[in-house]
Amino acid sequence: MNFKGGYNILPQGRPASAVNRVPEPKQLYLPLHSRRFLFSDICVEDGQTVSDGDVLARDPDNYAVPLLAPRGGKVKLKSAEGYITLTDILPPAGKVHVPEKDLPHIVQEMGSAGMKRYKLLSLGAWQFFYDAYTGQLPDPLGTPQAVIVSTLSLEPFVARGDAQLKNRLLQFTRGLEHLQSLLEYQPIYLALPDAKSELATLVREHIRGYAWVRLVEIPIKYPYDNFNILARKLGIKKGDGPIWSVRTEGILATDRVLTVSKPCLVRIVSIGGSGVKIPVHLKVMTGYPVREIIDRYASSSGVRIVDGGMLTGEAVAKDSLGLDTECRGLTILPEYKEREFLGFTRPGWGRESYSGCFLSSLRKGFSERLTTAVRGEIRPCVSCNFCEEVCPAGIMPHLLHKYLYRDLIEEVEQARIDLCIECGLCSFVCPSKIELRAEFIRAKELIEKEKEEIRREQAKRQLQENSR
Ligand code: SF4
Ligand code: SF4
C-alpha cells in the first residue's frame, strides 16, 4: 500500500512494554463524560452499594453504552460534580450479569450473533469499537461493510499493541474468531507492521490458516494506523455502510466477554513523555485517581498532562479527578512558559524540529526530548510548506489556515478540509506553532452545523409543500 506524508517521531519517554499494576484505590472518581460518551442516564442512587460490573450510568445517544463500576463500593453522586464517586472500595468479586429476560426484540431475532453483540455492549467491550470514517461508536446491531483491526498504535505515547499482546496472543486470535462469528461474509483486515518485528512474526504465525483475515502491512510511521487513512487506502468507500474499526485492546476485550463472560473493567494505559520519571504501561481501572498517578510518575510540577497521545491528546483539566472510560494513556511533557527572545534562532543541541535548523539535527537517530515547545512564541505562517509535506491526507494545511484566517469557508471546503483526519502532524511540525489541527476541527464542526441547518430547513420546506 502506498502512503504519502507521515513522520517518524522518536521522542524520549517511550513506555516499556512491561505492564505494571497500580495499588488498589481508596476511592474511584468515574467521569460522566469522555471523548465520545456522555453518561447522562444515571442508574444508581446516592448511598447505594454496588458490585463490580454493575451499571452506574448509560449514554442514551450512543446505544445506551454503559458506565460500569470497576469495583464494588458505595455510590456518592454529589461529592464531585461530573463524576460518580465510589467509596468503601471492595476487592474484585468477578460478578457477571447479563440480563437475558428483557432482550430487545432485534437481539432475539438475530439469534446467537445478536446475543453476542448484546453481551459486547453490556459488558463494556463495545466501547473499543469505532466507525473508521466518523470515529463514532457504530451500531452494535448494525451490519458493517468491513472490519479493520489494527495491532499498531503509532502515536507517541498511547498504549502500544505489543504491550497489550504480551503473553496474550491466544486470546487475540480467539477474539478474532469471535469477531468473525458476528459477521456474515464481510472481510476482516488485520493491520500489522511491515517490519520483521517479533510481534508481526508471532501474529502472522498465530493467524496462519485464518483465510477470512486479510493481512495489511503498514509502515511504522505516524499516522498510518489511523482507521480513516486505512479505510481510504483499502478502497472501502464512505457511505456504503459502517466500517467497524478496533485496536488490539478491543479484540482482547471481545475475547474476555465472549469466552469467559466477564466485564471489561480494567484497561492498559501508558504513562509516557519526557516529563515522566519511569515511563510505564499500567493496568488500571476507570476512575483511578489522576493525582495519584501524577504524584507517582511526573518528574516535576512544571509539566503539562495530556490525556491521550502527544499529537491528538488534550490537556487534562487541573481539577480532573479520575481516568475516563476511553483513556489510552497520559502524556507528561515539561512546559516552559517563559518567553525566550528570538528563541527559534538559538541552535542548541537539546532542541529538535522538523526543519532541522537546530544543532540536534546533526545527531541522527536519537530520541528527542520533546516539550510542549511553545515557549511563549506563536508566530505567523512563514510558508515553509512542512505541514503539506507531512500531511497524510494530501491536503494543504497552510492554505486552509490562510482561508480560515479570512473566513473564506467556501474555499476551505473546496480545499477538501473534509479529508483531514485530525492527526495533528501539521501542528507538530509547524515552526510557527500554529494550532492547525484545532483550527480544522473547529472549522469542520462549523461546516457540519451549517449543513445540518440547511438540511433541516429543506426538510421543513418540503413538509410545508406536501401539506399544501
Ligand atoms: S491534522 Fe489534518 S491537515 Fe493536519 S496533517 Fe493531519 S490530516 Fe493533514
Ligand atoms: S508548517 Fe506552519 S509555518 Fe510552515 S507553511 Fe505550514 S502553517 Fe505555515
Side-chain angles (χ1 to χ4, degrees):
M1 248 194 275
N2 289 328
F3 291 96
K4 56 177 277 197
Y7 184 40
N8 260 340
I9 307 161
L10 282 174
Q12 264 180 28
R14 186 173 186 256
S17 62
V19 180
N20 298 1
R21 283 183 181 274
V22 289
E24 278 293 302
K26 292 196 175 61
Q27 298 209 53
L28 288 170
Y29 304 93
L30 291 115
L32 290 172
H33 64 88
S34 62
R35 284 190 183 202
R36 289 179 298 167
F37 308 132
L38 179 62
F39 299 102
S40 55
D41 273 1
I42 309 292
C43 309
V44 284
E45 286 174 7
D46 197 40
Q48 185 180 332
T49 299
V50 292
S51 305
D52 45 344
D54 279 356
V55 177
L56 299 175
R58 292 187 187 278
D59 178 350
D61 296 326
N62 272 302
Y63 311 102
V65 66
L67 174 66
L68 301 175
R71 288 284 183 274
K74 192 179 261 186
V75 172
K76 295 260 163 71
L77 292 180
K78 290 179 196 137
S79 66
E81 200 180 332
Y83 294 83
I84 292 181
T85 308
L86 286 181
T87 61
D88 306 332
I89 302 292
L90 302 166
K95 179 177 162 273
V96 184
H97 178 61
V98 182
E100 294 200 21
K101 61 178 169 39
D102 301 323
L103 285 181
H105 184 57
I106 184 160
V107 172
Q108 289 174 13
E109 272 180 13
M110 287 175 80
S112 84
M115 185 59 204
K116 283 183 185 178
R117 290 169 180 228
Y118 186 69
K119 267 173 106 172
L120 290 177
L121 179 70
S122 308
L123 296 178
W126 192 251
Q127 35 183 290
F128 292 96
F129 284 70
Y130 298 78
D131 179 81
Y133 279 118
T134 65
Q136 297 304 314
L137 190 77
D139 181 351
L141 301 177
T143 310
Q145 52 164 321
V147 181
I148 300 175
V149 177
S150 174
T151 55
L152 288 176
S153 284
L154 297 175
E155 181 179 5
F157 299 88
V158 287
R160 302 199 313 267
D162 57 344
Q164 317 259 3
L165 273 180
K166 229 175 163 73
N167 310 322
R168 294 164 87 195
L169 265 173
L170 175 67
Q171 287 93 323
F172 182 75
T173 44
R174 212 167 47 196
L176 283 177
E177 283 176 23
H178 282 307
L179 188 58
Q180 204 250 345
S181 73
L182 306 176
L183 307 169
E184 287 168 12
Y185 51 81
Q186 298 89 344
I188 298 178
Y189 297 96
L190 176 64
L192 285 171
D194 64 0
K196 294 191 177 10
S197 71
E198 201 186 338
L199 170 73
T201 316
L202 274 172
V203 174
R204 265 190 215 98
E205 263 171 33
H206 270 252
I207 61 158
R208 200 176 290 149
Y210 288 18
W212 36 271
V213 173
R214 302 184 193 175
L215 292 187
V216 186
E217 299 202 334
I218 55 172
I220 308 183
K221 200 175 183 190
Y222 182 74
Y224 299 138
D225 55 336
N226 182 291
F227 294 128
N228 188 321
I229 291 261
L230 284 172
R232 277 186 219 166
K233 295 290 176 190
L234 289 165
I236 314 173
K237 290 212 180 72
K238 191 177 180 177
D240 287 353
I243 305 160
W244 289 359
S245 308
V246 59
R247 299 189 181 89
T248 308
E249 61 265 35
I251 297 296
L252 294 173
T254 301
D255 175 59
R256 180 176 168 84
V257 165
L258 296 183
T259 302
V260 290
S261 288
K262 289 204 168 158
C264 305
L265 303 177
V266 288
R267 53 168 62 218
I268 292 175
V269 166
S270 58
I271 310 295
S274 46
V276 173
K277 279 187 263 183
I278 309 165
V280 287
H281 279 92
L282 295 178
K283 197 172 215 183
V284 69
M285 64 218 64
T286 307
Y288 198 84
V290 174
R291 186 38 53 199
E292 279 186 32
I293 295 177
I294 307 300
D295 290 347
R296 191 175 292 244
Y297 292 102
S299 53
S300 74
S301 56
V303 290
R304 186 187 296 191
I305 315 293
V306 176
D307 177 4
M310 195 176 73
L311 289 122
T312 61
E314 283 166 19
V316 172
K318 288 230 161 13
D319 54 358
S320 178
L321 296 174
L323 292 180
D324 74 49
T325 183
E326 292 189 276
C327 181
R328 296 174 61 213
L330 292 181
T331 300
I332 304 181
L333 296 172
E335 180 154 42
Y336 307 117
K337 290 186 178 155
E338 292 288 299
R339 177 143 201 259
E340 287 180 353
F341 183 61
L342 293 182
F344 62 95
T345 62
R346 300 180 194 184
W349 278 113
R351 296 183 177 204
E352 177 57 41
S353 81
Y354 182 78
S355 66
C357 69
F358 297 129
L359 277 177
S360 57
S361 63
L362 299 174
R363 296 188 292 179
K364 291 294 171 208
F366 73 101
S367 295
E368 305 161 11
R369 187 172 191 275
L370 297 176
T371 67
T372 55
V374 177
R375 295 192 177 88
E377 293 174 304
I378 295 176
R379 297 177 294 279
C381 173
V382 291
S383 300
C384 63
N385 221 30
F386 294 153
C387 53
E388 191 180 332
E389 261 175 41
V390 294
C391 178
I395 52 180
M396 291 187 265
H398 52 87
L399 189 66
L400 289 173
H401 168 68
K402 284 163 196 160
Y403 286 149
L404 284 169
Y405 187 71
R406 293 162 61 199
D407 271 337
L408 300 172
I409 296 295
E410 228 169 86
E411 283 78 354
V412 166
E413 282 193 80
Q414 279 162 10
R416 299 301 308 268
I417 195 172
D418 60 305
L419 292 179
C420 169
I421 58 155
E422 300 167 15
C423 67
L425 264 185
C426 50
S427 312
F428 178 69
V429 300
C430 177
S432 292
K433 287 292 139 221
I434 301 169
E435 296 268 15
L436 298 159
R437 174 180 182 263
E439 265 181 26
F440 303 158
I441 292 175
R442 276 198 304 272
K444 285 203 290 180
E445 280 169 2
L446 182 80
I447 292 168
E448 198 39 53
K449 217 162 130 192
E450 280 179 2
K451 282 188 180 161
E452 185 54 43
E453 264 167 36
I454 294 170
R455 275 195 292 268
R456 228 179 288 142
E457 204 51 50
Q458 281 172 343
K460 209 166 124 191
R461 238 179 281 138
Q462 188 69 46
L463 212 67
Q464 282 168 348
E465 271 172 32
N466 292 349
S467 62
R468 261 186 224 141

Short mmCIF file of all heavy atoms in Angstrom, two decimals, residues 39 160 217 222 252 319:
data_model
loop_
_atom_site.label_atom_id
_atom_site.label_comp_id
_atom_site.label_asym_id
_atom_site.label_seq_id
_atom_site.Cartn_x
_atom_site.Cartn_y
_atom_site.Cartn_z
N PHE A 39 -22.47 10.11 29.78
CA PHE A 39 -23.30 9.18 30.55
C PHE A 39 -24.31 9.98 31.37
O PHE A 39 -24.10 10.24 32.55
CB PHE A 39 -22.41 8.31 31.46
CG PHE A 39 -21.42 7.48 30.70
CD1 PHE A 39 -20.08 7.86 30.62
CD2 PHE A 39 -21.82 6.32 30.04
CE1 PHE A 39 -19.16 7.09 29.91
CE2 PHE A 39 -20.92 5.55 29.33
CZ PHE A 39 -19.58 5.94 29.26
N ARG A 160 0.65 0.66 23.58
CA ARG A 160 1.03 0.01 22.32
C ARG A 160 0.48 -1.42 22.24
O ARG A 160 0.26 -2.07 23.25
CB ARG A 160 2.55 -0.06 22.22
CG ARG A 160 3.24 1.27 22.28
CD ARG A 160 4.64 1.14 21.72
NE ARG A 160 5.36 0.00 22.23
CZ ARG A 160 6.18 0.05 23.30
NH1 ARG A 160 6.34 1.17 23.94
NH2 ARG A 160 6.82 -1.02 23.70
N GLU A 217 -0.09 -4.83 5.51
CA GLU A 217 1.16 -4.41 6.12
C GLU A 217 1.28 -2.89 6.03
O GLU A 217 1.14 -2.32 4.96
CB GLU A 217 2.33 -5.09 5.42
CG GLU A 217 2.24 -6.59 5.54
CD GLU A 217 3.55 -7.28 5.37
OE1 GLU A 217 4.42 -6.72 4.69
OE2 GLU A 217 3.71 -8.38 5.91
N TYR A 222 3.98 7.37 11.83
CA TYR A 222 2.72 8.00 12.23
C TYR A 222 2.13 8.77 11.04
O TYR A 222 2.89 9.43 10.34
CB TYR A 222 2.97 8.96 13.41
CG TYR A 222 1.73 9.62 13.91
CD1 TYR A 222 0.81 8.91 14.66
CD2 TYR A 222 1.44 10.95 13.60
CE1 TYR A 222 -0.36 9.50 15.10
CE2 TYR A 222 0.27 11.54 14.05
CZ TYR A 222 -0.63 10.81 14.79
OH TYR A 222 -1.78 11.40 15.22
N LEU A 252 -9.01 -8.07 22.48
CA LEU A 252 -8.83 -8.78 23.75
C LEU A 252 -10.09 -8.64 24.62
O LEU A 252 -10.48 -9.59 25.30
CB LEU A 252 -7.61 -8.23 24.50
CG LEU A 252 -6.27 -8.50 23.80
CD1 LEU A 252 -5.13 -7.78 24.51
CD2 LEU A 252 -5.98 -9.99 23.71
N ASP A 319 -8.61 20.34 37.49
CA ASP A 319 -9.47 19.75 38.51
C ASP A 319 -9.93 18.33 38.14
O ASP A 319 -10.85 17.79 38.74
CB ASP A 319 -10.69 20.65 38.76
CG ASP A 319 -11.43 20.95 37.45
OD1 ASP A 319 -10.97 20.49 36.39
OD2 ASP A 319 -12.47 21.64 37.50
#
